[in-house]
Every structure is written in structure tokens, then in C-alpha cells.
Amino acid sequence: MGSFIEVKDLYFKYDDPEDENKNEFALNGINLTIEKGSFVAVVGHNGSGKSTLAKHFNSLYLPTSGDVSVNGMNTKDDSHLFDIRRSIGLVLQNPDNQIVAGIVEDDVAFGCENLGIPPKEIRKRVDDALKAVDMYEYRLHSPDKLSGGQKQRVAIAGIIAMEPECIVLDEPTAMLDPQGRDEVISAVMKLNRERGITVIIITHYMEEAVLADRVVVIDKGRVFLDGTPKEVFSQVEMLKQHRLDVPQGTELVYKLRGCGFELPKCVLDENECADAIEKLLKGVS
Amino acid sequence: MSVITAENVTFTYGKGTSFERTALSGVSFSVEEGEFLGVIGHTGSGKSTLVQMFNGLLRPTSGRILLNGKDIWEQPKKIREVRFKVGMVFQYPEHQLFEETVYKDISFGPKNKGMSEEETDKKVREAAGFVGLSEELLKKSPFELSGGEKRRAAIAGVIAMDPDVLILDEPTAGLDPLGRDALLSEIVTYHKVRKNTVLLVSHSMEDIARISDRILVMNNGRKAMLDTSENIFSQGAELEKMGLRVPQITKVMMLLKQRGISVNTGVLTVEQAFQEILSCLGCCGETKKW
Amino acid sequence: MVRDITLGQYMPGKSIVHRMDARSKILMLLAMIGFIFAADNYMALLLITLSSLLVVLLTRISFMMYLKSMKVILFLVLFTGILNIFYGSGQVYWEWQFIKITEGGVNNAVFVTIRIAAMVLVSSVLTFTTSPNDLTDGIEKLLSPLKLFHVKVHEIAMMMTIALRFIPVLLEEADKIMNAQKARGADMESGGALKRVRAMVPVLIPLFVSAFRRANDLAMAMECRCYNGGKGRTRMKIMKFGGVDLAALIYLIVVFAGVILCNIVFPATVR
């Protein structure tokens, strides 16, 4: 697995004369390497800079200073613009606003059509992409009639059809209900596991972050924690200091450990948590 | 005394067209004065339709809605008066802001209600105080505010009408955990100070569990449960069958119980679970009842 | 309610009309409208109406849907109909001061009403059986000769696609904002015209803000998907004239001949 996206000393300032905080950097020296095929969650508060970072990956934003490169291509280099956007697809937060066409399959085809792919090949890719996100049976529907989770999966299919090496999802579930969130996350996980597509998901839901291979925590435009979910979520104190959430099970075990009980250093989901506590309770009695 | 009573309320969208869909069927219950009622249900369960009945934005196809014992549709021409008594904050309420300044926007409701300049001013400042908007922000254009501030300004616009009942439909949707917690605690403070009735609609159990006196669970347009938070949460398996997600901590306790450990599954917070486990361990720590 | 509007709504299906090339459907609609205006007597109009009804049958879409789309512009139909009653000459049926209803007027009114209804019917056939994308693609293709005159045909078609996609979204949004303002005591139902217009301000401003926000998002999403104008673009669905289109053309010629024949044989009702 080689490095795929490389972020070096990235600083970024919004160029907005109306903004009162114009002297503040939204990104304050970020260094990050994303490996090919990995599943990375970037978490942080609103305003931490996580979405700004996401928009640097496919050169929607360009660094004020520092560099971002994809497969060795610098995002500042205009001649690589389409190569970069073809290999890194970006899914945005509001599912309604990123669907262009009035029929699901026509929308999924949009990206491929822009790339000038032959019609037969587009057809194949569109069907394949819709199947990958379990939306094939809705291919002739109008997007208006779909639920939020379904619309977001159509948006993902539109990116997948372009056959990118990586998809970046900028808070794809923030506007969805719990069911929609599950649909989107399991679709994304499947793409990562079965097709080896690199996934970078920007989120503030910790339940989603624990599913990743790697969690990068950002605050005030800086990376302050970076590691496997277990490594990151074992730093309960540190996360709380930055006023970030910790999964409830993780926090419970952390609290019990604080009382001196023998428990694993970090548990992530409810099963692990229940296992640990069961062991503890049965060990005592 | 009950403030709002739903009597066998049924509602059908697009009656007589090919789009006909029954959103509510035979819902009956009452909301007590001063109560904090949580309303949960998955998307399409009818929860949003139900609360829109209470301020007369939708009219029941059959059945009655009583406000302080009086049918709100007795005089359809006076339905606007009901809207001042039952304040409604919609999903993503920041999308309704339109005035030049935040102050003017918040005073839109009070002015429609016919309050005097003086009273309006008092209510606007009071409402802004509840949601933590500073004097400085009131002078700004609502479009210059941050997402969280916009949401607060919009909620203040409804609070300023001084309603007897405040209904909030998914007030925390799209906010990050920090913003969510801050907003919820502001709503709780408002409820404590004003002592009026609050209905909070959400699909997030975590939000509702901690702050509601009682919880109404909607499923397929029907009332599925109405009980105290503890009693509702001790029925985790039932809730999951309705497509609702229980908080992770409740889930942990449910799993422990399945494995034959006698714990109370009606826990809502990490602190409660912590105390519960400690008491199971019969341990030194505080075993006080929560 | 907004959601009841059926005018201009696509209804997926597999009928032969659905399978026709969008371009031929557009051209045939234009031809039919031409015939409707060319017809100057009831027999010709009856012929057109019957031949349109045959096509309506072929679409396999419930006739109720067509009636509903008619309902939306019922006001327009009645208005023009009634207006026409008062114009015309011939035998006077009723008179009051300068207003009079004449034989010619009544004929005009009935004729115009049938004409508009027939036009709505044939237009509905096009919009019901053609997906918005096919429709705009068809228009883009048909207009492409204009590229020679530096008309931005692709951009126009893209704008139409986006408009068709976002009109329902914005209508729903307008509905929501209206409810939110009503909940704040906004009074939109009473008062004179001026007051009502003023009452719409709290709805229109947020609607514009939302439209701009959506446009911004959409532009970004299109950029992310490598949109770069019409240059070097391919399409998934290739338009092809087929046997159905040929059959339709023959049908159209027969109808045209019929209309001409009626116009020659029967006296003109309107001038």
C-alpha cells in the first residue's frame, strides 16, 4: 500500500473581505498521508476545518501555503485538474443539491458523460454503480420521491460510476435520519471492502468513526489525534478536553477503569463493551 | 390539567387523489400543563404530521384537537389565534429568516400577534436571552450569522410570541454534538424558567431521553407507547422492532441482561449505567440511587 | 396543494409512445399544434381531437391524469372562452348596452376552448411520456444547427435540465417556508391584493436565499463530477429514429391530409 494523498504543511485562509476573522487560518499546518485502500474518518467540530480540508483533496480549494498531492500530482497544477477529480470523487452534505438530472440513472451517468466515455460503457458503469449502492431498482425514479438516504446513495453512485480510486464524503449523513445514516455507511463500507476504494469520511458522529481503519481528529485547523479507532478513543480525557464526544460504551469502560477495575483499555462497540463488563461482573462474583 | 388533547385524530394526505396516504390513524392522548414531552418515531411514522395538527397548520380528517379543553377548529377563522398559543419551530428553522436584522426577524411573530412596541422589545430581548444570542448579534443581518446562531435566532422568533406550548421539530438536526448539547440545555432552561409545556420531536433517542418527562412513541401513524422515559427505554427490544435506535449505553445493558446478568435496562446515560454496574459489583463506590 | 399538479410531469412507462425518439415527439407536437390552428371548422377539429385521443390511448396512461393536467389551466381555458363570447358578429342572441353575444361569438368561444384543450392534451402526451432529460436532450439536438450562429445550445439545454430538476424542490421548499411563517402568525389569506403581495415577502426572501445556496452547492457538485461545458461530452442514451417514429410520421401525414380535406369540404366556422 503506497501513499495516495499527501498533505504537506497545509495552511489555508478564506479569501473573504467581509469576514471579520480574516486573519485566522482555517487550516493551520496540516500534515497527513492517506494510504491507498484505507478507510479514514476525519472528525471534529463544525468550524474545525474538516470540511475545508476535504475540499482540498480534489482541488476545489487550493492551499494558501503548503501542498496537497494526489498520486504525485500537485493539486495546484491546473493540467492535472481533471485527472485529480476523476480519481477523487467528492460527495457533499445535502443530497438534494448535488443531483443534477430528473431521473436517477441519468444523474448517475452525468459524471461519465462529462468524461466523454462511450455510451455503451456508461450504461454498464451506471448499472454497476447503482447495484453497488443497492439503488438499481430505483433507476427510473425521480430523485424527488426518494428518501434522504436513498438520494445520498444515488449521489455516491454518480461518483462510483466515474471509477475513482477514492471517495471523499463531506458529512454525508448529517442531514439524514438514523436509518438513512445506516444505509449510507454500509454502502460506503461495502465499496471499501469489496472494491478497495479508498474512503475518507468527514463526520461528527463517533459511531461512524469507530468503523474506520483510522481516525484523524481535527480541531482549530490542526490534527491533534491520529491513529486506529482504539488508539484514538482510548484518549477519553484528551477528547473531552476538546469537547468531543466519545462513544457511550467507551466512556463507561473508561469510567470503570478509573475506579481501578481490570478492563480492556478501549472498547468500541456495544458488543465489546458488554463482553468486557460481563467478564468483570462474572469475575467478581 | 391537560393543555392539548388529541381525540381519535386521523389524517389523510391528498384525500381523493391517487397520492392518497394515511399519515395518522386514531391517535388519542393528552399533554399535561407544564410537561416536557418527547415525541419519537422513524421518518414517516407520523410524528411531524401530528405536531402540525396542534397549531392548526393541518386539520384532522376526522377527530378533534382540543386546546385547553376547546376544539381549535370550532371557529376556523380564528385559527391564527391558536398559532400564537402553540408556537411551532420547524425542522431547519433557519431557512425561514428574512428580515434585515436579527432583532426585526425575532419581532415578526410578536408583531403579528399585535403586541405593542414596548412589549415586543421586551419579548425579543427575553427570547434572545434564552437562546444565548448577544445584544451585538441582534443588530446583525441574520444571513451573517453562523449556522448555530441562525438556528437560535429562528427559535427565538417563536419563543418571542410567548406561546403557552412550544413545539420543536428536530431542533438539533444537522448540528454537531457540541451545538446539539448547548441547544438542548437552552431549551431545558427555557422550560424550567417559563414552566410552560414543551413538545420535542426527534428521531434521536439520546436527545429526548435525558430531558423529557414522558415520551410518546409513534409508529406507522399510530400511538405505539406513551410513558416515562425509564419505562420506555426498558422496552429496548420493542423500540428496535419499530426501527428506532436505542442509545448505545442502553444497548449494552440490554446485551448484559440477555446474557443473564440482572441489570436495569432502563438506563439513559453513561452516569446511570456506571452507577448501575457499580451497584452490581456491590462496590465501595457511591451506590446511591439515581 | 403543490403536489397535485400533474402538468408537465413525466410518468415512466413502456408504451410505444414512451419508446419514441424525443426529437420526433417534439416535432410532432409542434406539427399537431400547427394543425390545430390550421383547422377552421368543427369537423377538422373533431378529427384532430379523435386522432389525439388515439395517441392518448396508446400511452397507456390513465385518462384521469390528462384531465387533471387540464384542471390546472381550467381557469385559462374558461377565461379565454368567455372573453371570446363577446367578440364576433352574426345573429345577436343577447344584448345589453354595448355588450352583445352573437352567434359568431359563441362559435368562437367553443372553438377556442376546444383548441386549447386539444393543445393541452397533445402537450401532455409529450411531457407525460418523455423524461425531462430526454426532453432537454431532444431540444438540444434539434437546436444544434443554431450553434453555427454561436447560440449556446448546450448551456440552454443544461439550464432547462436543472430547472426541471429543481422546480419541484423549490415548490416544496416554498410550501415549508409558508407553513413556518404561518406558524409565526403571518396572515397570507386575508386582505387586499397589495397586502397579500406584501405578505409574500417573508416567503420569497428565504426562498431566494435557499435557491442561491442550492445553486452554489450544485455548481460545486458539478465541478466535482468534471463538468466542463458541452465540449467532449458524450451521452449515455443515444437518440435513434426507429420504426415507431416512421409509423408516427405516416400517422401524422394521414391526419394532416384529413385536416386539409375537412378544411376544403366544410365551410369555415371561424376566421
Side-chain angles (χ1 to χ4, degrees):
Chain A
M1 286 211 274
S3 74
F4 172 52
I5 301 178
E6 202 123 14
V7 179
K8 259 196 220 140
D9 297 321
L10 169 61
Y11 286 83
F12 180 76
K13 194 156 70 173
Y14 279 96
D15 188 20
D16 182 2
E18 301 259 310
D19 195 357
E20 286 161 22
N21 318 319
K22 62 178 161 190
N23 292 319
E24 260 176 55
F25 280 92
L27 297 176
N28 254 313
I30 290 199
N31 284 292
L32 199 64
T33 306
I34 308 277
E35 309 283 311
K36 200 161 230 165
S38 61
F39 187 153
V40 183
V42 178
V43 297
H45 293 304
N46 286 349
S48 60
K50 59 188 194 306
S51 290
T52 312
L53 176 64
K55 286 172 185 135
H56 276 86
F57 294 143
N58 73 343
S59 69
L60 271 179
Y61 291 173
L62 295 175
T64 308
S65 83
D67 287 295
V68 177
S69 59
V70 176
N71 271 338
M73 299 176 281
N74 195 313
T75 56
K76 284 177 184 166
D77 186 347
D78 224 21
S79 62
H80 291 314
L81 183 68
F82 286 101
D83 294 324
I84 288 173
R85 292 206 176 139
R86 191 203 292 242
S87 51
I88 298 191
L90 180 63
V91 177
L92 303 170
Q93 189 187 72
N94 190 329
D96 257 325
N97 298 356
Q98 49 189 324
I99 296 178
V100 185
I103 299 289
V104 167
E105 61 174 16
D106 291 343
D107 184 74
V108 175
F110 180 75
C112 295
E113 292 177 339
N114 290 334
L115 294 175
I117 292 162
K120 267 198 187 138
E121 170 76 10
I122 299 182
R123 182 81 251 175
K124 216 181 95 223
R125 285 189 184 195
V126 166
D127 289 348
D128 179 59
L130 281 167
K131 280 175 190 157
V133 296
D134 275 328
M135 285 298 291
Y136 185 67
E137 54 184 310
Y138 292 95
R139 65 191 181 282
L140 294 176
H141 283 232
S142 148
D144 300 323
K145 304 249 156 67
L146 303 179
S147 73
Q150 290 173 329
K151 281 182 208 166
Q152 201 61 295
R153 284 185 285 153
V154 170
I156 293 171
I159 297 293
I160 294 304
M162 293 166 73
E163 298 189 341
E165 292 168 81
C166 169
I167 45 177
V168 180
L169 302 105
D170 187 5
E171 299 196 43
T173 59
M175 298 183 73
L176 306 182
D177 62 2
Q179 196 197 340
R181 266 154 61 186
D182 286 347
E183 288 168 14
V184 168
I185 294 300
S186 58
V188 169
M189 282 179 69
K190 207 171 109 191
L191 292 172
N192 178 255
R193 303 279 136 86
E194 290 174 10
R195 303 192 175 207
I197 295 173
T198 312
V199 171
I200 303 174
I201 181 166
I202 316 286
T203 182
H204 51 235
Y205 290 113
M206 295 301 167
E207 315 91 90
E208 289 169 7
V210 300
L211 300 171
D213 307 330
R214 176 176 165 200
V215 179
V216 177
V217 188
I218 289 190
D219 198 24
K220 298 197 176 97
R222 286 192 186 87
V223 174
F224 86 92
L225 279 175
D226 182 355
T228 62
K230 289 220 165 171
E231 284 163 4
V232 167
F233 289 110
S234 61
Q235 310 273 339
V236 176
E237 246 356 272
M238 181 89 140
L239 289 165
K240 291 231 153 188
Q241 261 173 32
H242 286 261
R243 302 180 65 196
L244 281 156
D245 260 3
V246 176
Q248 289 178 318
T250 315
E251 193 180 345
L252 176 63
V253 168
Y254 173 80
K255 278 187 125 171
L256 289 166
R257 268 173 65 90
C259 289
F261 294 108
E262 274 289 306
L263 282 165
K265 227 176 143 194
C266 182
V267 299
L268 292 178
D269 61 17
E270 54 264 23
N271 282 313
E272 274 183 36
C273 180
D275 288 346
I277 293 173
E278 184 186 15
K279 220 163 137 194
L280 176 72
L281 288 171
K282 289 197 170 148
V284 168
S285 51
Chain B
M1 210 191 86
S2 36
V3 185
I4 290 178
T5 306
E7 275 184 4
N8 208 11
V9 170
T10 296
F11 185 75
T12 311
Y13 278 107
K15 200 165 175 69
T17 70
S18 54
F19 304 102
E20 187 172 310
R21 189 171 62 83
T22 302
L24 290 175
S25 42
V27 178
S28 298
F29 72 100
S30 312
V31 188
E32 299 305 314
E33 195 172 339
E35 184 177 22
F36 199 122
L37 181 76
V39 182
I40 49 173
H42 62 82
T43 309
S45 62
K47 58 186 193 307
S48 292
T49 310
L50 177 68
V51 294
Q52 286 186 48
M53 298 269 155
F54 295 152
N55 74 341
L57 279 173
L58 295 174
R59 189 174 181 167
T61 314
S62 74
R64 297 198 301 164
I65 303 285
L66 308 182
L67 178 64
N68 294 319
K70 245 182 77 190
D71 186 348
I72 63 168
W73 287 101
E74 208 172 74
Q75 287 173 289
K77 290 220 163 123
K78 294 197 171 164
I79 200 69
R80 253 181 94 211
E81 285 167 26
V82 172
R83 294 187 188 145
F84 296 118
K85 285 183 190 143
V86 182
M88 171 92 194
V89 178
F90 280 89
Q91 263 184 60
Y92 298 99
E94 59 273 26
H95 294 172
Q96 74 192 31
L97 300 170
F98 70 99
E99 275 287 10
E100 287 159 56
T101 66
V102 175
Y103 181 92
K104 276 191 183 172
D105 205 285
I106 299 177
S107 56
F108 181 66
K111 283 205 170 131
N112 283 332
K113 195 179 176 180
M115 286 187 198
S116 66
E117 278 302 323
E118 223 168 282
E119 206 186 349
T120 303
D121 185 67
K122 196 178 134 225
K123 294 292 173 199
V124 169
R125 286 175 202 284
E126 218 175 77
F130 276 124
V131 296
L133 287 179
S134 67
E135 195 70 21
E136 194 70 7
L137 289 181
L138 288 180
K139 288 177 210 146
K140 279 196 176 180
S141 154
F143 303 109
E144 286 172 40
L145 306 186
S146 76
E149 288 164 349
K150 274 186 198 162
R151 171 97 31 117
R152 287 178 162 73
I155 293 174
V158 176
I159 289 180
M161 300 195 308
D162 207 9
D164 300 337
V165 180
L166 179 68
I167 302 175
L168 301 118
D169 192 356
E170 305 273 1
T172 60
L175 295 182
D176 65 358
L178 200 61
R180 180 194 68 204
D181 291 346
L183 183 60
L184 286 178
S185 79
E186 281 155 14
I187 294 168
V188 169
T189 313
Y190 164 81
H191 175 243
K192 277 191 184 138
V193 173
R194 273 294 168 79
K195 298 191 173 55
N196 57 359
T197 316
V198 175
L199 269 73
L200 187 95
V201 182
S202 178
H203 45 228
S204 156
M205 299 263 200
E206 280 94 338
D207 284 6
I208 279 195
R210 282 171 287 167
I211 55 180
S212 309
D213 298 323
R214 285 197 303 164
I215 293 179
L216 168 68
V217 184
M218 292 295 294
N219 190 33
N220 290 332
R222 290 170 193 281
K223 178 179 88 174
M225 301 178 190
L226 175 62
D227 212 329
T228 59
S229 307
E230 279 81 6
N231 287 343
I232 296 275
F233 278 81
S234 54
Q235 306 179 56
E238 290 300 308
L239 294 171
E240 288 194 326
K241 260 187 231 156
M242 290 179 222
L244 290 168
R245 266 209 265 173
V246 299
Q248 190 187 40
I249 201 71
T250 314
K251 192 88 208 245
V252 169
M253 300 310 253
M254 281 162 65
L255 285 172
L256 287 174
K257 192 160 190 184
Q258 272 172 27
R259 297 175 191 188
I261 300 165
S262 66
V263 286
N264 179 2
T265 57
V267 301
L268 315 172
T269 64
V270 174
E271 185 58 31
Q272 287 172 355
F274 177 59
Q275 297 297 345
E276 181 70 25
I277 304 287
L278 282 186
S279 72
C280 275
L281 286 163
C283 164
C284 43
E286 318 125 83
T287 39
K288 66 171 187 246
K289 200 93 177 105
W290 33 270
Chain C
M1 277 286 270
V2 172
R3 67 190 88 216
D4 295 339
I5 296 176
T6 54
L7 184 71
Q9 192 182 323
Y10 171 53
M11 290 175 213
K14 288 197 157 60
S15 76
I16 40 172
V17 187
H18 282 88
R19 290 204 309 266
M20 269 173 71
D21 190 300
R23 286 170 297 179
S24 44
K25 276 190 272 189
I26 295 168
L27 290 176
M28 276 171 205
L29 169 67
L30 294 175
M32 280 305 264
I33 291 175
F35 298 171
I36 290 169
F37 278 102
D40 63 1
N41 61 78
Y42 284 119
M43 281 314 285
L45 210 52
L46 182 71
L47 178 74
I48 289 172
T49 312
L50 287 179
S51 55
S52 310
L53 283 174
L54 182 66
V55 179
V56 165
L57 270 178
L58 287 174
T59 63
R60 308 247 186 119
I61 293 170
S62 142
F63 194 67
M64 278 306 292
M65 285 301 176
Y66 290 94
L67 285 184
K68 261 188 212 154
S69 68
M70 212 81 83
K71 213 172 80 185
V72 178
I73 57 158
L74 192 66
F75 171 75
L76 185 74
V77 176
L78 287 180
F79 182 74
T80 41
I82 289 167
L83 208 66
N84 269 290
I85 288 186
F86 302 110
Y87 292 96
S89 50
Q91 192 195 340
V92 177
Y93 292 136
W94 182 81
E95 197 168 358
W96 180 72
Q97 294 196 356
F98 60 91
I99 300 174
K100 59 181 176 197
I101 295 178
T102 61
E103 189 192 354
V106 172
N107 265 333
N108 271 344
V110 173
F111 211 84
V112 165
T113 309
I114 298 176
R115 265 184 177 165
I116 296 180
M119 263 174 0
V120 174
L121 199 67
V122 288
S123 311
S124 297
V125 169
L126 175 69
T127 54
F128 283 0
T129 62
T130 319
S131 81
N133 237 40
D134 288 348
L135 201 58
T136 47
D137 276 3
I139 293 172
E140 184 177 350
K141 280 271 160 60
L142 288 173
L143 294 182
S144 59
L146 291 178
K147 277 183 194 157
L148 291 175
F149 305 101
H150 300 287
V151 176
K152 294 194 180 298
V153 175
H154 168 75
E155 281 73 9
I156 293 170
M158 195 66 202
M159 264 156 50
M160 280 167 47
T161 306
I162 292 171
L164 285 170
R165 156 86 183 93
F166 279 90
I167 284 169
V169 176
L170 288 174
L171 282 178
E172 203 186 304
E173 179 120 24
D175 223 37
K176 274 189 202 157
I177 297 170
M178 219 181 297
N179 270 340
Q181 306 299 27
K182 271 193 208 161
R184 293 209 281 166
D187 185 4
M188 294 173 200
E189 280 111 21
S190 64
L194 192 67
K195 197 175 162 226
R196 279 193 195 202
V197 170
R198 214 176 294 145
M200 287 311 283
V201 171
V203 176
L204 291 178
I205 292 178
L207 197 60
F208 275 119
V209 172
S210 151
F212 278 113
R213 191 184 55 239
R214 287 181 191 279
N216 211 358
D217 277 10
L218 183 70
M220 198 182 276
M222 286 169 73
E223 255 189 79
C224 289
R225 287 159 79 181
C226 299
Y227 181 66
N228 190 28
K231 234 174 65 193
R233 233 176 156 250
T234 48
R235 308 310 310 261
M236 174 170 72
K237 293 170 182 166
I238 311 166
M239 298 202 172
K240 232 174 28 207
F241 288 111
V244 190
D245 299 285
L246 190 66
L249 184 65
I250 295 167
Y251 181 66
L252 201 68
I253 292 169
V254 171
V255 174
F256 183 58
V259 171
I260 298 292
L261 202 65
C262 286
N263 273 357
I264 294 169
V265 175
F266 299 99
T269 330
V270 287
R271 252 163 290 272

